[in-house]
Amino acid sequence: MKISTKGRYGLTIMIELAKKHGEGPTSLKLIAQTNDLSEHYLEQLIAPLRNAGLVKSIRGAYGGYVLAKEPSEITCGDIIRVLEGPISPVEGIEEEEPVKRSLWIRIRDAVKDVLDTTTLEDLANYKEDKAPDSYMFYI
């Protein structure tokens, strides 16, 4: 299974909305500029996310998009399934011989587990670990 730009950029939109959750609507133009992405492409991705009930659009001069739920209630799996379809490493798992079918199912389940247990809140609050030898001194 390969996540296309639809899934990657859709996840980017959702992370940006999660970071700004509670601050009002965010425009796709701002998200596109911040992440050096095509605004036109993001417009194509936001429609299925809105139709799935993950985002709401706000009209007007200060309009844009907001999350339809709390960031802790939306998983990466929710987003990827909307934009990419079912999560599966190969098509036709049912037709595979039992040994290979078992492997594909284990891989699918591991990927699903990661996507379904990682929320937008987790990603919006992600901070890269600092090197263990970096210290902060205050005088």
Side-chain angles (χ1 to χ4, degrees):
M1 179 178 87
K2 186 174 183 178
I3 305 292
S4 71
T5 56
K6 286 171 63 173
R8 291 174 42 216
Y9 294 175
L11 197 56
T12 299
I13 292 170
M14 297 297 283
I15 292 168
E16 292 295 329
L17 293 178
K19 287 178 180 177
K20 303 208 182 304
H21 186 67
E23 298 177 10
T26 303
S27 71
L28 287 183
K29 182 176 186 172
L30 178 63
I31 294 172
Q33 289 173 342
T34 303
N35 294 278
D36 196 26
L37 301 173
S38 163
E39 182 182 355
H40 179 70
Y41 191 42
L42 297 187
E43 288 170 356
Q44 295 174 25
L45 300 178
I46 201 76
L49 295 169
R50 189 181 65 245
N51 292 340
L54 297 177
V55 297
K56 293 180 189 174
S57 60
I58 309 294
R59 294 181 177 260
Y62 299 103
Y65 294 89
V66 296
L67 294 179
K69 303 176 188 176
E70 292 294 317
S72 61
E73 297 174 358
I74 301 173
T75 68
C76 294
D78 297 333
I79 299 160
I80 296 300
R81 283 184 191 90
V82 166
L83 296 172
E84 300 281 357
I87 297 165
S88 182
V90 294
E91 291 183 26
I93 289 177
E94 300 79 23
E95 290 85 38
E96 291 283 347
E97 60 186 68
V99 173
K100 289 194 277 183
R101 183 178 331 131
S102 173
L103 173 66
W104 300 137
I105 289 172
R106 287 182 19 230
I107 291 170
R108 179 200 64 199
D109 291 348
V111 171
K112 285 171 72 172
D113 182 56
V114 170
L115 291 174
D116 290 338
T117 59
T118 305
T119 67
L120 282 179
E121 182 177 57
D122 297 331
L123 297 178
N125 295 330
Y126 177 79
K127 302 277 190 265
E128 200 166 329
D129 292 336
K130 292 185 177 184
D133 60 347
S134 63
Y135 297 99
M136 179 68 73
F137 293 99
Y138 296 96
I139 300 175

